[in-house]
Amino acid sequence: GLETRAEQVEAALAEAQTDEEIAAVEDEVSKIEAEKEELKQKKANLEAEIAELESELEQLNSKAPTNTNKERNDKKMTEKRAKQEYFTREVEDFYNELRTRLQARANGQVLPGQVLPSGDAGTAGAELIIPDIVVNRIRERIGDYTTLYPLVDKITAGGRVKLILDVDTGEATWVEQRAAITEEDDSHLTAVEFDGFKVGRIVYIDNSLLEDSIINLDDYLTKRIARSIAKALDKAILWGGGPIIKQPVGIIPQIPNTNQVSAPAEYEALIPLLGLIDTGEDASGEIVCVVHRQTYYSKLANLTLHVDAAGKDVVMLPNLAQPNFLGLRVVFNNYMPNDKVLFGVFDKYTLVEREGTRIDMSGHYKFREDQTAIRGIGRYDGKPVIPEAFVLVTLEETAEDDGSEAEGGGGNSH
């Protein structure tokens, strides 16, 4: 608008004849210049205000948490809340009592139930029952250190008597809506007897930990007990010798001879063997491949590496971060022998967990190392309820393997 008025004033100035007309035009020019200066000042003030707001906004953005920081803060809050829920009065009392007993042992005092050199016993049993919340934490941590425990079917049962469980997965019976479901002959049902065998480990706690926080003592204790029981469970699920040696029954010793085969490490030889897995009428369940880590990387992972004549990959490269066998989940287990692969539906193995995991004082004390020994004990039994649901494959050496070994001077080419 000012530019239009300025153009009009210039035209009027050119046409002005008298002094009065010239003075009127000059007066209008002065007004336009004054308005321009006022607008310039307003513009400068606005630009300064904008700059100040942008500076404040930048400072706010720098202080605002990013998504990563937000996720980290949320995780910390979740962990803090979980700790508050876990370390209840019952848990604190348990660890305070445990610490009291350990300190008494470290000071050479006689614990309740401890056998004295004279052969006499203390006044009461030294067994210290773990609160359920700590037992559940140990069970959760067992899953952190074992690869097979999360795969199998788990049943929690109390007491110490033997259990006879119906693990049959037959179909239900259809009847008229008002009719009663009649009991049929149960001779064909799958009834399996389970005992409760003890598994335990003596854990040595350095006496310096007795002065530490309950949180650190709990972390140390539950981690050690869970890890040792996890290793024992993993080995028993695969190789357990059964009631004769007071262990669960392992999968591999029970696999029928028809499901124990040898084959070269080639897709066309291994894939048909999955057809040997028989779960009866129950078609549900995930087939999992269990193998030693070394066997997978030396024998199975490279099966996906194929190139055409032009040198281009024609098969997807193996995902080494998430191992799989043609889409089947691969689980590593170091109790599997090298060059053997176990395919199976692992929920056809039933593991019974008995309640009453406990900690008690060991009869041993390592004075030299300044450590106190305690025992962590659990009771389990298990067995494959359908052994035909598993296939054990022994990988044969191929001619290519033999040639590469010979070329390498007889060493392991992988």
Side-chain angles (χ1 to χ4, degrees):
L2 286 174
E3 291 175 355
T4 302
R5 286 170 58 192
E7 292 174 357
Q8 294 172 350
V9 169
E10 289 179 1
L13 183 60
E15 296 175 356
Q17 299 295 326
T18 64
D19 291 341
E20 292 179 357
E21 291 176 346
I22 293 173
V25 172
E26 290 178 346
D27 185 54
E28 186 65 22
V29 170
S30 299
K31 290 180 180 179
I32 291 175
E33 292 297 331
E35 290 183 22
K36 281 186 177 180
E37 287 298 324
E38 184 180 357
L39 288 175
K40 283 183 180 179
Q41 186 62 40
K42 287 183 178 180
K43 181 181 177 182
N45 293 339
L46 285 173
E47 287 177 343
E49 187 177 350
I50 289 173
E52 184 179 355
L53 290 173
E54 287 179 343
S55 176
E56 291 179 3
L57 182 61
E58 185 177 351
Q59 291 178 3
L60 289 173
N61 288 335
S62 65
K63 294 178 180 179
T66 62
N67 289 338
T68 303
N69 289 337
K70 184 177 184 302
E71 292 175 0
R72 189 181 296 113
N73 291 337
D74 290 345
K75 183 178 180 181
K76 288 182 178 179
M77 287 298 297
T78 302
E79 292 176 352
K80 183 178 180 180
R81 193 177 298 112
K83 284 184 178 180
Q84 290 175 344
E85 294 175 354
Y86 173 71
F87 287 101
T88 61
R89 173 61 62 184
E90 183 183 19
V91 174
E92 291 182 2
D93 290 344
F94 164 73
Y95 277 109
N96 286 330
E97 174 64 18
L98 175 63
R99 188 152 52 185
T100 299
R101 294 190 181 200
L102 293 178
Q103 287 173 336
R105 164 61 67 80
N107 294 332
Q109 299 176 14
V110 178
L111 293 175
Q114 181 181 348
V115 178
L116 302 175
S118 61
D120 299 331
T123 57
E127 180 180 297
L128 186 61
I129 302 299
I130 306 179
D132 289 341
I133 189 171
V134 181
V135 172
N136 292 335
R137 181 175 175 86
I138 292 176
R139 284 177 178 158
E140 291 172 0
R141 295 198 119 179
I142 287 175
D144 295 336
Y145 298 112
T146 174
T147 56
L148 301 182
Y149 177 83
L151 302 179
V152 301
D153 179 35
K154 292 178 284 294
I155 297 175
T156 302
R160 300 195 176 207
V161 298
K162 293 184 178 181
L163 294 177
I164 298 179
L165 300 179
D166 175 17
V167 294
D168 183 70
T169 55
E171 64 185 60
T173 303
W174 291 95
V175 296
E176 200 273 333
Q177 61 177 338
R178 296 184 180 179
I181 301 294
T182 58
E183 290 190 41
E184 300 179 358
D185 178 20
D186 61 358
S187 60
H188 66 284
L189 296 179
T190 308
V192 181
E193 182 179 284
F194 293 92
D195 205 331
F197 302 114
K198 185 187 298 183
V199 59
R201 171 74 186 273
I202 293 179
V203 178
Y204 291 98
I205 296 183
D206 192 283
N207 291 339
S208 61
L209 282 176
L210 302 182
E211 306 300 328
D212 212 333
S213 68
I214 289 178
I215 295 177
N216 292 340
L217 181 59
D218 171 82
D219 181 70
Y220 181 89
L221 187 63
T222 56
K223 182 186 295 183
R224 292 300 183 280
I225 293 176
R227 190 162 194 164
S228 59
I229 292 179
K231 293 178 69 175
L233 285 175
D234 258 12
K235 189 173 184 179
I237 290 172
L238 283 182
W239 295 101
I244 296 178
I245 58 175
K246 309 305 180 187
Q247 290 181 0
V249 177
I251 292 172
I252 293 178
Q254 296 298 309
I255 296 178
N257 291 333
T258 54
N259 284 28
Q260 299 186 40
V261 295
S262 298
E266 300 172 353
Y267 277 144
E268 55 269 26
L270 294 175
I271 293 173
L273 300 179
L274 299 177
L276 296 175
I277 295 175
D278 182 9
T279 57
E281 295 180 357
D282 190 357
S284 64
E286 175 191 11
I287 297 178
V288 178
C289 170
V290 177
V291 65
H292 194 287
R293 187 191 305 269
Q294 293 177 347
T295 301
Y296 175 79
Y297 289 121
S298 64
K299 299 287 187 179
L300 299 183
N302 57 6
L303 293 183
T304 59
L305 300 175
H306 295 286
V307 294
D308 59 15
K312 295 182 180 179
D313 294 323
V314 295
V315 177
M316 184 182 297
L317 293 174
N319 186 346
L320 299 182
Q322 295 178 332
N324 70 87
F325 177 80
L326 283 178
L328 296 181
R329 182 152 56 115
V330 169
V331 172
F332 294 144
N333 191 281
N334 283 347
Y335 291 112
M336 280 294 298
N338 280 321
D339 298 330
K340 289 186 182 293
V341 182
L342 178 64
F343 296 103
V345 179
F346 280 79
D347 62 8
K348 302 307 176 189
Y349 185 99
T350 298
L351 181 72
V352 173
E353 297 181 275
R354 297 290 189 151
E355 295 177 344
T357 300
R358 71 179 192 271
I359 291 176
D360 58 13
M361 302 297 113
S362 168
H364 306 284
Y365 175 61
K366 302 179 71 174
F367 287 101
R368 181 176 300 175
E369 290 83 2
D370 198 29
Q371 293 178 331
T372 300
I374 63 172
R375 282 192 294 254
I377 297 172
R379 291 188 299 127
Y380 298 85
D381 193 11
K383 58 192 64 177
V385 295
I386 303 182
E388 296 79 9
F390 302 91
V391 173
L392 181 65
V393 181
T394 301
L395 299 178
E396 299 174 341
E397 292 290 342
T398 62
E400 182 179 352
D401 292 333
D402 295 339
S404 58
E405 287 184 3
E407 184 179 350
N412 189 339
S413 63
H414 302 295

mmCIF file of all heavy atoms in Angstrom, residues 347-380:
data_model
loop_
_atom_site.group_PDB
_atom_site.id
_atom_site.type_symbol
_atom_site.label_atom_id
_atom_site.label_comp_id
_atom_site.label_asym_id
_atom_site.label_seq_id
_atom_site.Cartn_x
_atom_site.Cartn_y
_atom_site.Cartn_z
ATOM 1 N N ASP A 347 6.749 -80.066 23.213
ATOM 2 C CA ASP A 347 5.699 -80.086 24.234
ATOM 3 C C ASP A 347 5.153 -81.497 24.441
ATOM 4 O O ASP A 347 4.246 -81.703 25.247
ATOM 5 C CB ASP A 347 4.585 -79.096 23.914
ATOM 6 C CG ASP A 347 3.867 -79.407 22.609
ATOM 7 O OD1 ASP A 347 4.133 -80.475 22.024
ATOM 8 O OD2 ASP A 347 3.044 -78.581 22.177
ATOM 9 N N LYS A 348 5.712 -82.467 23.716
ATOM 10 C CA LYS A 348 5.394 -83.877 23.972
ATOM 11 C C LYS A 348 6.330 -84.470 25.021
ATOM 12 O O LYS A 348 6.357 -85.685 25.234
ATOM 13 C CB LYS A 348 5.468 -84.704 22.676
ATOM 14 C CG LYS A 348 4.533 -84.195 21.593
ATOM 15 C CD LYS A 348 3.111 -84.057 22.081
ATOM 16 C CE LYS A 348 2.192 -83.458 21.034
ATOM 17 N NZ LYS A 348 0.860 -83.126 21.570
ATOM 18 N N TYR A 349 7.123 -83.619 25.641
ATOM 19 C CA TYR A 349 7.909 -83.991 26.818
ATOM 20 C C TYR A 349 7.293 -83.262 28.006
ATOM 21 O O TYR A 349 7.139 -82.033 27.987
ATOM 22 C CB TYR A 349 9.373 -83.601 26.660
ATOM 23 C CG TYR A 349 10.251 -84.068 27.809
ATOM 24 C CD1 TYR A 349 11.008 -85.222 27.699
ATOM 25 C CD2 TYR A 349 10.314 -83.357 29.004
ATOM 26 C CE1 TYR A 349 11.810 -85.670 28.752
ATOM 27 C CE2 TYR A 349 11.101 -83.786 30.053
ATOM 28 C CZ TYR A 349 11.843 -84.940 29.931
ATOM 29 O OH TYR A 349 12.628 -85.379 30.974
ATOM 30 N N THR A 350 6.925 -83.996 29.051
ATOM 31 C CA THR A 350 6.295 -83.409 30.233
ATOM 32 C C THR A 350 7.294 -83.369 31.375
ATOM 33 O O THR A 350 7.898 -84.386 31.733
ATOM 34 C CB THR A 350 5.052 -84.205 30.655
ATOM 35 O OG1 THR A 350 4.089 -84.158 29.601
ATOM 36 C CG2 THR A 350 4.430 -83.617 31.911
ATOM 37 N N LEU A 351 7.472 -82.174 31.938
ATOM 38 C CA LEU A 351 8.352 -81.979 33.075
ATOM 39 C C LEU A 351 7.503 -81.570 34.277
ATOM 40 O O LEU A 351 6.751 -80.598 34.210
ATOM 41 C CB LEU A 351 9.389 -80.890 32.780
ATOM 42 C CG LEU A 351 10.393 -80.597 33.894
ATOM 43 C CD1 LEU A 351 11.393 -81.742 34.025
ATOM 44 C CD2 LEU A 351 11.122 -79.282 33.621
ATOM 45 N N VAL A 352 7.601 -82.328 35.360
ATOM 46 C CA VAL A 352 6.856 -82.027 36.588
ATOM 47 C C VAL A 352 7.786 -81.320 37.553
ATOM 48 O O VAL A 352 8.846 -81.841 37.912
ATOM 49 C CB VAL A 352 6.290 -83.313 37.216
ATOM 50 C CG1 VAL A 352 5.660 -83.006 38.568
ATOM 51 C CG2 VAL A 352 5.269 -83.954 36.292
ATOM 52 N N GLU A 353 7.389 -80.113 37.957
ATOM 53 C CA GLU A 353 8.131 -79.350 38.960
ATOM 54 C C GLU A 353 7.408 -79.484 40.295
ATOM 55 O O GLU A 353 6.234 -79.134 40.419
ATOM 56 C CB GLU A 353 8.195 -77.866 38.578
ATOM 57 C CG GLU A 353 8.936 -77.587 37.305
ATOM 58 C CD GLU A 353 8.966 -76.090 37.026
ATOM 59 O OE1 GLU A 353 8.000 -75.573 36.435
ATOM 60 O OE2 GLU A 353 9.946 -75.446 37.411
ATOM 61 N N ARG A 354 8.104 -79.996 41.266
ATOM 62 C CA ARG A 354 7.522 -80.114 42.606
ATOM 63 C C ARG A 354 7.733 -78.822 43.375
ATOM 64 O O ARG A 354 8.802 -78.219 43.311
ATOM 65 C CB ARG A 354 8.174 -81.270 43.359
ATOM 66 C CG ARG A 354 7.950 -82.622 42.727
ATOM 67 C CD ARG A 354 6.516 -83.061 42.866
ATOM 68 N NE ARG A 354 6.362 -84.444 42.455
ATOM 69 C CZ ARG A 354 5.449 -85.267 42.931
ATOM 70 N NH1 ARG A 354 4.583 -84.843 43.833
ATOM 71 N NH2 ARG A 354 5.361 -86.504 42.497
ATOM 72 N N GLU A 355 6.716 -78.414 44.110
ATOM 73 C CA GLU A 355 6.858 -77.238 44.955
ATOM 74 C C GLU A 355 7.767 -77.570 46.137
ATOM 75 O O GLU A 355 7.917 -78.731 46.513
ATOM 76 C CB GLU A 355 5.490 -76.784 45.459
ATOM 77 C CG GLU A 355 4.574 -76.309 44.328
ATOM 78 C CD GLU A 355 3.195 -75.942 44.833
ATOM 79 O OE1 GLU A 355 2.864 -76.328 45.972
ATOM 80 O OE2 GLU A 355 2.447 -75.295 44.088
ATOM 81 N N GLY A 356 8.331 -76.519 46.714
ATOM 82 C CA GLY A 356 9.174 -76.736 47.884
ATOM 83 C C GLY A 356 10.645 -76.581 47.605
ATOM 84 O O GLY A 356 11.471 -77.144 48.315
ATOM 85 N N THR A 357 11.005 -75.820 46.548
ATOM 86 C CA THR A 357 12.413 -75.472 46.373
ATOM 87 C C THR A 357 12.893 -74.780 47.640
ATOM 88 O O THR A 357 12.196 -73.946 48.201
ATOM 89 C CB THR A 357 12.587 -74.532 45.165
ATOM 90 O OG1 THR A 357 12.117 -75.185 43.996
ATOM 91 C CG2 THR A 357 14.042 -74.149 44.975
ATOM 92 N N ARG A 358 14.066 -75.118 48.094
ATOM 93 C CA ARG A 358 14.488 -74.563 49.377
ATOM 94 C C ARG A 358 15.995 -74.321 49.405
ATOM 95 O O ARG A 358 16.745 -74.775 48.540
ATOM 96 C CB ARG A 358 14.113 -75.506 50.517
ATOM 97 C CG ARG A 358 14.912 -76.794 50.580
ATOM 98 C CD ARG A 358 14.475 -77.641 51.750
ATOM 99 N NE ARG A 358 15.378 -78.728 52.009
ATOM 100 C CZ ARG A 358 15.298 -79.932 51.459
ATOM 101 N NH1 ARG A 358 14.338 -80.174 50.593
ATOM 102 N NH2 ARG A 358 16.155 -80.875 51.763
ATOM 103 N N ILE A 359 16.402 -73.596 50.405
ATOM 104 C CA ILE A 359 17.815 -73.353 50.696
ATOM 105 C C ILE A 359 18.075 -73.842 52.113
ATOM 106 O O ILE A 359 17.288 -73.584 53.021
ATOM 107 C CB ILE A 359 18.148 -71.855 50.597
ATOM 108 C CG1 ILE A 359 18.074 -71.389 49.143
ATOM 109 C CG2 ILE A 359 19.528 -71.560 51.154
ATOM 110 C CD1 ILE A 359 18.292 -69.904 48.986
ATOM 111 N N ASP A 360 19.144 -74.563 52.294
ATOM 112 C CA ASP A 360 19.507 -74.933 53.658
ATOM 113 C C ASP A 360 21.017 -74.827 53.820
ATOM 114 O O ASP A 360 21.753 -74.637 52.862
ATOM 115 C CB ASP A 360 18.987 -76.333 54.040
ATOM 116 C CG ASP A 360 19.504 -77.419 53.104
ATOM 117 O OD1 ASP A 360 20.438 -77.127 52.340
ATOM 118 O OD2 ASP A 360 18.973 -78.536 53.147
ATOM 119 N N MET A 361 21.450 -74.931 55.068
ATOM 120 C CA MET A 361 22.858 -74.781 55.374
ATOM 121 C C MET A 361 23.615 -76.060 55.067
ATOM 122 O O MET A 361 23.173 -77.151 55.434
ATOM 123 C CB MET A 361 23.045 -74.453 56.868
ATOM 124 C CG MET A 361 22.325 -73.187 57.332
ATOM 125 S SD MET A 361 22.943 -71.715 56.521
ATOM 126 C CE MET A 361 21.486 -71.263 55.564
ATOM 127 N N SER A 362 24.704 -75.918 54.398
ATOM 128 C CA SER A 362 25.532 -77.076 54.113
ATOM 129 C C SER A 362 26.384 -77.421 55.331
ATOM 130 O O SER A 362 26.649 -76.573 56.181
ATOM 131 C CB SER A 362 26.433 -76.786 52.911
ATOM 132 O OG SER A 362 27.416 -77.789 52.797
ATOM 133 N N GLY A 363 26.816 -78.642 55.389
ATOM 134 C CA GLY A 363 27.691 -79.062 56.476
ATOM 135 C C GLY A 363 29.132 -78.669 56.249
ATOM 136 O O GLY A 363 29.995 -79.012 57.043
ATOM 137 N N HIS A 364 29.384 -77.952 55.148
ATOM 138 C CA HIS A 364 30.773 -77.595 54.815
ATOM 139 C C HIS A 364 30.967 -76.090 54.947
ATOM 140 O O HIS A 364 30.085 -75.309 54.635
ATOM 141 C CB HIS A 364 31.091 -78.023 53.380
ATOM 142 C CG HIS A 364 30.814 -79.470 53.128
ATOM 143 N ND1 HIS A 364 31.620 -80.478 53.574
ATOM 144 C CD2 HIS A 364 29.770 -80.074 52.487
ATOM 145 C CE1 HIS A 364 31.114 -81.646 53.211
ATOM 146 N NE2 HIS A 364 29.997 -81.431 52.552
ATOM 147 N N TYR A 365 32.162 -75.729 55.379
ATOM 148 C CA TYR A 365 32.492 -74.317 55.471
ATOM 149 C C TYR A 365 33.946 -74.158 55.052
ATOM 150 O O TYR A 365 34.835 -74.808 55.589
ATOM 151 C CB TYR A 365 32.293 -73.807 56.899
ATOM 152 C CG TYR A 365 32.751 -72.373 57.075
ATOM 153 C CD1 TYR A 365 32.154 -71.354 56.349
ATOM 154 C CD2 TYR A 365 33.790 -72.070 57.944
ATOM 155 C CE1 TYR A 365 32.572 -70.050 56.497
ATOM 156 C CE2 TYR A 365 34.207 -70.761 58.100
ATOM 157 C CZ TYR A 365 33.598 -69.754 57.377
ATOM 158 O OH TYR A 365 34.012 -68.467 57.517
ATOM 159 N N LYS A 366 34.164 -73.322 54.045
ATOM 160 C CA LYS A 366 35.511 -73.160 53.501
ATOM 161 C C LYS A 366 36.214 -72.027 54.251
ATOM 162 O O LYS A 366 36.169 -70.871 53.852
ATOM 163 C CB LYS A 366 35.440 -72.874 52.008
ATOM 164 C CG LYS A 366 34.709 -73.972 51.229
ATOM 165 C CD LYS A 366 34.620 -73.655 49.756
ATOM 166 C CE LYS A 366 35.959 -73.770 49.094
ATOM 167 N NZ LYS A 366 35.891 -73.603 47.631
ATOM 168 N N PHE A 367 36.863 -72.382 55.363
ATOM 169 C CA PHE A 367 37.509 -71.369 56.177
ATOM 170 C C PHE A 367 38.625 -70.661 55.402
ATOM 171 O O PHE A 367 38.795 -69.454 55.505
ATOM 172 C CB PHE A 367 38.111 -72.014 57.435
ATOM 173 C CG PHE A 367 37.072 -72.424 58.430
ATOM 174 C CD1 PHE A 367 36.672 -73.735 58.527
ATOM 175 C CD2 PHE A 367 36.481 -71.489 59.270
ATOM 176 C CE1 PHE A 367 35.718 -74.131 59.450
ATOM 177 C CE2 PHE A 367 35.530 -71.876 60.203
ATOM 178 C CZ PHE A 367 35.144 -73.198 60.283
ATOM 179 N N ARG A 368 39.379 -71.418 54.618
ATOM 180 C CA ARG A 368 40.539 -70.841 53.948
ATOM 181 C C ARG A 368 40.118 -69.736 52.989
ATOM 182 O O ARG A 368 40.737 -68.685 52.925
ATOM 183 C CB ARG A 368 41.302 -71.936 53.195
ATOM 184 C CG ARG A 368 42.535 -71.437 52.480
ATOM 185 C CD ARG A 368 43.290 -72.583 51.830
ATOM 186 N NE ARG A 368 43.722 -73.565 52.813
ATOM 187 C CZ ARG A 368 44.319 -74.712 52.501
ATOM 188 N NH1 ARG A 368 44.543 -75.023 51.239
ATOM 189 N NH2 ARG A 368 44.680 -75.546 53.451
ATOM 190 N N GLU A 369 39.043 -69.985 52.251
ATOM 191 C CA GLU A 369 38.577 -68.985 51.286
ATOM 192 C C GLU A 369 37.619 -67.979 51.916
ATOM 193 O O GLU A 369 37.115 -67.098 51.226
ATOM 194 C CB GLU A 369 37.875 -69.674 50.107
ATOM 195 C CG GLU A 369 38.799 -70.460 49.197
ATOM 196 C CD GLU A 369 39.084 -71.852 49.741
ATOM 197 O OE1 GLU A 369 38.517 -72.180 50.798
ATOM 198 O OE2 GLU A 369 39.854 -72.593 49.114
ATOM 199 N N ASP A 370 37.317 -68.128 53.205
ATOM 200 C CA ASP A 370 36.402 -67.216 53.889
ATOM 201 C C ASP A 370 35.045 -67.209 53.190
ATOM 202 O O ASP A 370 34.495 -66.152 52.874
ATOM 203 C CB ASP A 370 36.990 -65.808 53.948
ATOM 204 C CG ASP A 370 36.285 -64.956 55.009
ATOM 205 O OD1 ASP A 370 35.811 -65.536 55.998
ATOM 206 O OD2 ASP A 370 36.206 -63.735 54.834
ATOM 207 N N GLN A 371 34.518 -68.403 52.930
ATOM 208 C CA GLN A 371 33.234 -68.530 52.256
ATOM 209 C C GLN A 371 32.307 -69.436 53.054
ATOM 210 O O GLN A 371 32.753 -70.336 53.757
ATOM 211 C CB GLN A 371 33.403 -69.121 50.843
ATOM 212 C CG GLN A 371 34.134 -68.201 49.878
ATOM 213 C CD GLN A 371 34.319 -68.855 48.533
ATOM 214 O OE1 GLN A 371 34.404 -70.078 48.437
ATOM 215 N NE2 GLN A 371 34.383 -68.059 47.490
ATOM 216 N N THR A 372 31.017 -69.183 52.933
ATOM 217 C CA THR A 372 30.000 -70.004 53.580
ATOM 218 C C THR A 372 29.232 -70.754 52.506
ATOM 219 O O THR A 372 28.864 -70.182 51.478
ATOM 220 C CB THR A 372 29.043 -69.129 54.405
ATOM 221 O OG1 THR A 372 29.799 -68.436 55.401
ATOM 222 C CG2 THR A 372 27.976 -69.973 55.071
ATOM 223 N N ALA A 373 28.949 -72.020 52.750
ATOM 224 C CA ALA A 373 28.283 -72.850 51.746
ATOM 225 C C ALA A 373 26.815 -73.031 52.103
ATOM 226 O O ALA A 373 26.461 -73.262 53.255
ATOM 227 C CB ALA A 373 28.950 -74.225 51.670
ATOM 228 N N ILE A 374 25.971 -72.902 51.096
ATOM 229 C CA ILE A 374 24.549 -73.197 51.250
ATOM 230 C C ILE A 374 24.125 -74.090 50.098
ATOM 231 O O ILE A 374 24.797 -74.182 49.064
ATOM 232 C CB ILE A 374 23.681 -71.913 51.262
ATOM 233 C CG1 ILE A 374 23.812 -71.208 49.924
ATOM 234 C CG2 ILE A 374 24.069 -71.004 52.397
ATOM 235 C CD1 ILE A 374 22.849 -70.060 49.790
ATOM 236 N N ARG A 375 22.998 -74.782 50.294
ATOM 237 C CA ARG A 375 22.485 -75.684 49.262
ATOM 238 C C ARG A 375 21.189 -75.124 48.692
ATOM 239 O O ARG A 375 20.298 -74.711 49.436
ATOM 240 C CB ARG A 375 22.220 -77.064 49.845
ATOM 241 C CG ARG A 375 23.453 -77.917 50.044
ATOM 242 C CD ARG A 375 23.073 -79.359 50.348
ATOM 243 N NE ARG A 375 22.381 -79.449 51.642
ATOM 244 C CZ ARG A 375 22.926 -79.931 52.747
ATOM 245 N NH1 ARG A 375 24.163 -80.348 52.732
ATOM 246 N NH2 ARG A 375 22.240 -79.997 53.870
ATOM 247 N N GLY A 376 21.105 -75.131 47.374
ATOM 248 C CA GLY A 376 19.850 -74.830 46.693
ATOM 249 C C GLY A 376 19.298 -76.118 46.118
ATOM 250 O O GLY A 376 19.995 -76.832 45.389
ATOM 251 N N ILE A 377 18.065 -76.472 46.450
ATOM 252 C CA ILE A 377 17.514 -77.789 46.120
ATOM 253 C C ILE A 377 16.156 -77.625 45.431
ATOM 254 O O ILE A 377 15.329 -76.819 45.838
ATOM 255 C CB ILE A 377 17.355 -78.653 47.386
ATOM 256 C CG1 ILE A 377 18.728 -78.909 48.017
ATOM 257 C CG2 ILE A 377 16.668 -79.975 47.062
ATOM 258 C CD1 ILE A 377 18.651 -79.590 49.365
ATOM 259 N N GLY A 378 15.948 -78.396 44.392
ATOM 260 C CA GLY A 378 14.648 -78.481 43.736
ATOM 261 C C GLY A 378 14.330 -79.939 43.443
ATOM 262 O O GLY A 378 15.198 -80.812 43.536
ATOM 263 N N ARG A 379 13.074 -80.217 43.090
ATOM 264 C CA ARG A 379 12.671 -81.602 42.799
ATOM 265 C C ARG A 379 11.886 -81.626 41.489
ATOM 266 O O ARG A 379 10.933 -80.851 41.305
ATOM 267 C CB ARG A 379 11.826 -82.181 43.930
ATOM 268 C CG ARG A 379 12.621 -82.399 45.203
ATOM 269 C CD ARG A 379 11.831 -83.152 46.245
ATOM 270 N NE ARG A 379 10.633 -82.430 46.638
ATOM 271 C CZ ARG A 379 9.408 -82.937 46.629
ATOM 272 N NH1 ARG A 379 9.220 -84.187 46.212
ATOM 273 N NH2 ARG A 379 8.364 -82.224 47.025
ATOM 274 N N TYR A 380 12.290 -82.504 40.600
ATOM 275 C CA TYR A 380 11.704 -82.586 39.264
ATOM 276 C C TYR A 380 11.595 -84.047 38.827
ATOM 277 O O TYR A 380 12.280 -84.931 39.344
ATOM 278 C CB TYR A 380 12.577 -81.847 38.233
ATOM 279 C CG TYR A 380 12.734 -80.379 38.481
ATOM 280 C CD1 TYR A 380 13.721 -79.897 39.342
ATOM 281 C CD2 TYR A 380 11.918 -79.448 37.837
ATOM 282 C CE1 TYR A 380 13.884 -78.538 39.573
ATOM 283 C CE2 TYR A 380 12.073 -78.084 38.046
ATOM 284 C CZ TYR A 380 13.055 -77.642 38.916
ATOM 285 O OH TYR A 380 13.206 -76.297 39.128
#
